Each structure stands twice: as C-alpha cells, then as structure tokens.
Amino acid sequence: MEILSLPFVQRAFLGAILLALLTSLWGVFVVLRKQAFLSDAVAHASILGVALGLMLGIYPLYLALVIAILFAFILTYFKDKVKIANDTLIGIIYSLFFALGLILLSKTSGVKVDLESYLFGSLFSISPDELLLIGMLLLGSTLFLFKYFKQIVYTTFDPENAYLQGINVKRNEYLINIFLSITVIAAIKAVGLIMLSSMLLAPAATARNIAKNFKQVIPLSALISILSSLIGLTLALLFDIPAGASIVLIASITFLASGLWGKYFKT
Amino acid sequence: MKAIELKGITVVLNHRTILKNTDMALEKGSLTYLMGSNGSGKTTLIKSILQLVPITKGSISIFNEPVSQKNISSRISYLAQYPKLDRDFPISVSELINLACSTQKHCPLSIEEHLQRFDALEIKDKKLEQLSGGQLQKVLIARALIGDKDILILDEPFNNLDHRSEERLIQILKEMHNEQGKTILIVTHDQSIVNKDNDCLMLAHGHLHAGKAEKVLAEHKLEII
C-alpha cells in the first residue's frame, strides 16, 4: 500500500480514471459510427506531429494534437467530395501522414527512446501538465456532449433524417471527428499508439453488447472503462508489467466475456 | 396557395437524366398520389424537393419560399422508402420517438399516445434490431408523423405493413388530411390504395402527368403494370 503514496503512482491512477472517462465517452460514438479504423488511423497519422515535435524541439504531444485535428478536418471535408468508400479515403490519407512522419523521423537523430513511449505508452510517467490537458479535454467533451447530445446521437444514427430535422450534420461530423482525434492523442500517452484502439473500443463495444437501450450505453461504457483501468493499473503495479497492456488486456477480456454473456444468457 | 411548387427542374444522376424540365404543384391541403413504374424517378423527385439530390436546373419552393433546410425541417415530415438509419444502433423504440420529438417545435401527443395510435405501444421497449420489417415500418411512420408539420411526404408507406396496419395508416392519413388540413403526398405503385377522387401525379420517362386519379390512371395504365 505504501506505493500508493508515491506521487507518480497517484498521477497514474488519476490519469487512468480521467482517460477512462474520456475514451469511454467518445469510444461509444466510434463504435456506433463504425469508425474503429479512424481511431487507429488518427493515432498513426499523429506520428507526423510527434516527428515534427522531436525535430523542432516542441513538446511532441502538442504537435501531434495539431496534426490529428488537421487529419480529422481533411477526412471530414473529403468524405462527401470523393466517390470512394470512407475507409479507403482514411487509409490513403493516414498513410500519407504516416509516411511523412517516418521520413522526418529518419532525419532526426537520437529519438528512439522518446518514440517508444508513444508506441507503447507509459501511464507511470504521466506529468501534471498532461493530467491537466486530459482533464481539460474531458471537461470540454462533457460540456459539448451535454449541449449537443441529442444532435450528435441523431447525426450518428440517421444522418439523412437528422438533416431533414434541421440539424447541421456536417458541422457535427467535423466536431465529432475533431473531438475523437484529440481523445486519441490524449490516450496515446497512456496506452501507446499500438493499443489505444482497444482502450477506446473495448469498453464501448462491451457496453453496446449488454445495454438494453441507448440510455445505458454511455454510463456502462464509463463504468467498464474505469474498472478496466483501475484493475489493469493495480495488476501492473503488483506484477511489474506494462500498465497500458494490462489495462487493454482487462478491457478486451471483458469485451469477450460480454459476447459470451450476450450469446448464452441474454434473453 | 401552393404548398410545394417545382418549376422546370432537371435532375441528372450518374450521367443519366432522371427528370427533365419537370413542373409540379401541390395545393395546400391536397392529398396526392405520386405513381410510376419502378425506376421512373418517383423517389428522386421526392429527394430533389428535400435537397437530398441536387437539381441541375429549375427552382423549388415551399409555401412560396425558396426551398431550404430551414423550411424543409419546419414544414415537411418525410418517410423514406429505404431509410439510411443504422438498425444495429442500440436504441429502443421509445428512445427513437423521443429523439425525433426533441427536434420538433411541438409534438401533439405524448410518446405513449403516439405509439398507441400506430399500434406500436407494446414494442416501445424493444431495440430496433429486435423488430420485424413490419414493426420497423410502423415505428418509422410513427417517427415521421410525430411533429405537427404542414406537409407529409411518404415514400411507399405501406411497404411491409399487414392489412390491419395498412387500414390504420389510411385512417390516420385521412384524419390528418380532412380534420387538420395537412398536405399529403404519397408515393406508391399500388393502385389498390389510391382513392380515385384524389389528385394523382404519374411520372413516366422523366415527365409528370397530373390530374384526378381516376383519369390519370386510366390514361397511363401501361406505365404502372
């Protein structure tokens, strides 16, 4: 228990809870909009921001944030402009960003260690500034969804009908994709680029599996996400394993269990 | 007064001319059937009124004002033939109707009363993915008619409905037309539901023929066989 009094452990737990809330909130919309690939793509595209940050000596997460917002903006803009499937468009644009990032990284020396923290994440090295950033994002997301919740749900569920009801569907799509991209960047620090999709998707998909109606989906997603994070972090401390991987493991097992629950126990 | 007026509209989709220099007018308080064979452009015509497909020429007005998202949302209720909604979305029937009501200025009935009207109260807690085709159609009709709008455009509303539900819908539409003075446009290819005294529009080869249903159907019998 003594270990819990250490500031970096306390920050890790606080960060895990804040991130769990943030990712569970937007994860629901990622799952319902069938945009699982988008979250992965944003994470990979943001490597360009990380590379730029490392190259220019600017805090990489800030530039990753800028690049992620730019990526979301480009995708939303071109979605209705080109006659190709959305996932094809995402695949092409994120590869472009990723390729540029890799080229820049190849020209930047001594970045191996820093880059690893973005690939695999490290909750135990989360700084007070990063906590503040995540907290602000959570506050912003909550206020935004509080004000526009029904519009966002309508846009997600039936965009054509939402338009006919006077809802600004395109603006909402920009905002959803931008908030989602920011959330992805915030989660990179905790679980890393490779595993963040699972942190975003697993609790929301679990909630979607067991909820009886839409009203239950977000609270369930938040609850599952927080529990996965706290249990995962505790296991990481007890067994000296990577925190991000441990959290993702718990969240993914919970999702698989919810699938079995749905198959064998749900009426 | 004209509830909807189309002047010389042309719609070209994928290099194919669907509508060519088409005029159409729906008087306020009229009940009109829009008919035509499969692929004649009935749905495209409706979607052009709703700005869901672009027109290349002509103009559209709603109660003498140029069509816009604002006057569509405040004046028109629409039931799509193939709604682009996500059936896997974990939303219950009552949540869906509640969501639709939240976008209206005024919902004349409570959610329960409204569902009862469409014989759908017993499925109010079911999720969309648990509904049959007919039940979903009833729910979507209920959603389309939740507000108190002046114009109802219903694209093949009787699809998937059993005889009892079909009768019920016809009764509700008659009430809305006769008692509330709504302007109603029903897209259908089913002659059996057409009241011969009402107005009818027949779409054939990109052109629209208007008149009383009895006359139009007699003149264009071959178009809908």
Side-chain angles (χ1 to χ4, degrees):
Chain A
M1 290 304 283
E2 207 175 289
I3 199 165
L4 293 177
S5 61
L6 296 170
F8 81 92
V9 175
Q10 290 171 349
R11 281 199 301 272
F13 271 96
L14 181 59
I17 292 170
L18 292 176
L19 269 172
L21 284 169
L22 184 65
T23 53
S24 63
L25 213 55
W26 288 107
V28 166
F29 290 98
V30 174
V31 169
L32 295 177
R33 290 167 64 82
K34 300 181 173 72
Q35 283 185 322
F37 183 44
L38 177 60
S39 58
D40 222 21
V42 172
H44 282 81
S46 69
I47 205 82
L48 174 60
V50 174
L52 278 170
L54 293 171
M55 207 174 169
L56 302 172
I58 300 170
Y59 183 51
L61 218 54
Y62 289 149
L63 283 180
L65 210 60
V66 173
I67 292 296
I69 292 170
L70 179 69
F71 180 73
F73 196 85
I74 290 173
L75 274 184
T76 318
Y77 178 79
F78 279 107
K79 190 183 153 203
D80 305 321
K81 300 270 187 290
V82 289
K83 281 186 177 177
I84 54 168
N86 203 28
D87 57 349
T88 309
L89 179 70
I90 294 172
I92 293 168
I93 298 179
Y94 104 76
S95 302
L96 170 75
F97 278 58
F98 193 66
L100 282 170
L102 287 185
I103 289 167
L104 287 184
L105 281 175
S106 72
K107 298 292 172 196
T108 314
S109 55
V111 297
K112 195 168 174 283
V113 175
D114 286 312
L115 192 59
E116 271 179 10
S117 77
Y118 290 98
L119 287 176
F120 303 109
S122 172
L123 255 178
F124 290 113
S125 67
I126 203 161
S127 68
D129 282 351
E130 285 161 349
L131 275 181
L132 187 68
L133 181 73
I134 295 165
M136 280 163 57
L137 279 177
L138 179 61
L139 182 67
S141 297
T142 309
L143 290 175
F144 170 73
L145 283 176
F146 190 73
K147 187 163 167 43
Y148 294 108
F149 186 70
K150 286 188 172 172
Q151 282 202 26
I152 297 298
V153 173
Y154 218 139
T155 300
T156 300
F157 166 63
D158 189 350
E160 184 176 277
N161 201 270
Y163 169 81
L164 296 174
Q165 303 311 321
I167 292 170
N168 192 337
V169 171
K170 198 68 189 171
R171 181 204 63 190
N172 288 348
E173 284 186 343
Y174 273 113
L175 289 170
I176 293 168
N177 286 343
I178 287 170
F179 267 108
L180 167 65
S181 301
I182 296 172
T183 301
V184 165
I185 300 307
I188 281 183
K189 184 70 185 174
V191 289
L193 192 149
I194 292 168
M195 284 179 292
L196 75 85
S197 275
S198 181
M199 191 176 180
L200 203 62
L201 302 174
T206 309
R208 194 243 168 275
N209 268 352
I210 58 178
K212 286 186 178 148
N213 52 42
F214 188 70
K215 208 162 60 182
Q216 295 179 351
V217 176
I218 287 183
L220 274 173
S221 173
L223 184 69
I224 293 161
S225 190
I226 288 174
L227 287 177
S228 303
S229 296
L230 293 181
I231 295 169
L233 206 51
T234 307
L235 290 176
L237 280 172
L238 288 174
F239 299 105
D240 192 23
I241 52 176
S246 177
I247 291 170
V248 163
L249 196 69
I250 299 295
S252 303
I253 289 171
T254 311
F255 167 71
L256 293 175
S258 77
L260 292 177
W261 170 268
K263 189 172 179 190
Y264 294 108
F265 300 107
K266 223 165 142 187
T267 50
Chain B
M1 189 186 200
K2 291 187 175 52
I4 299 177
E5 188 169 25
L6 276 59
K7 284 184 184 165
I9 68 156
T10 296
V11 176
V12 180
L13 292 176
N14 298 322
H15 310 291
R16 189 182 149 222
T17 304
I18 314 285
L19 300 169
K20 195 174 177 187
N21 211 19
T22 303
D23 294 324
M24 184 186 108
L26 291 187
E27 288 297 327
K28 185 183 175 211
S30 61
L31 194 160
T32 309
Y33 298 95
L34 174 58
M35 303 192 75
S37 56
N38 292 340
S40 58
K42 303 185 292 292
T43 298
T44 303
L45 175 70
I46 298 305
K47 287 193 167 184
S48 67
I49 296 170
L50 299 168
Q51 294 191 316
L52 296 175
V53 297
I55 58 171
T56 48
K57 224 176 82 182
S59 66
I60 298 171
S61 56
I62 310 287
F63 288 104
N64 296 334
E65 282 178 23
V67 68
S68 65
Q69 189 191 13
K70 197 178 169 199
N71 59 23
I72 289 170
S73 63
S74 62
R75 299 280 207 165
I76 301 178
S77 288
Y78 170 60
L79 173 76
Q81 184 183 10
Y82 301 112
K84 288 184 180 169
L85 55 80
D86 177 8
R87 274 198 79 171
D88 296 332
F89 201 89
I91 193 168
S92 69
V93 169
S94 57
E95 284 178 321
L96 172 70
I97 303 297
N98 197 11
L99 185 63
C101 184
S102 72
T103 64
Q104 312 292 318
K105 273 187 194 149
H106 169 59
C107 295
L109 298 172
S110 70
I111 305 299
E112 279 75 18
E113 285 169 335
H114 191 64
L115 285 171
Q116 179 72 60
R117 199 176 177 208
F118 290 90
D119 272 341
L121 190 58
E122 73 276 12
I123 53 169
K124 76 180 172 77
D125 295 323
K126 280 194 174 184
K127 287 200 274 188
L128 291 197
E129 62 192 7
Q130 297 170 320
L131 301 181
S132 70
Q135 286 175 324
L136 180 66
Q137 182 71 353
K138 277 201 269 189
V139 170
L140 294 178
I141 293 167
R143 178 180 75 162
L145 304 182
I146 184 78
D148 190 20
K149 297 189 180 167
D150 304 308
I151 304 169
L152 316 178
I153 298 178
L154 309 172
D155 195 350
E156 302 284 5
F158 304 103
N159 275 358
N160 294 321
L161 292 187
D162 56 31
H163 184 65
R164 179 187 144 94
S165 305
E166 196 177 298
E167 292 286 309
R168 186 121 184 101
L169 177 59
I170 289 171
Q171 187 57 37
I172 290 168
L173 293 176
K174 270 185 188 165
E175 281 170 24
M176 295 181 95
H177 176 240
N178 296 332
E179 293 166 23
Q180 298 166 29
K182 305 287 185 199
T183 306
I184 302 178
L185 178 63
I186 299 173
V187 182
T188 182
H189 60 271
D190 182 2
Q191 284 191 61
S192 67
I193 60 115
V194 175
N195 183 331
K196 303 286 191 282
D197 296 329
N198 288 123
D199 296 325
C200 183
L201 298 164
M202 178 68 67
L203 191 56
H205 312 295
H207 296 286
L208 208 51
H209 308 274
K212 285 290 169 197
E214 190 168 14
K215 184 170 171 275
V216 173
L217 288 175
E219 284 173 2
H220 297 274
K221 221 171 191 173
L222 286 175
E223 304 293 348
I224 46 174
I225 291 174

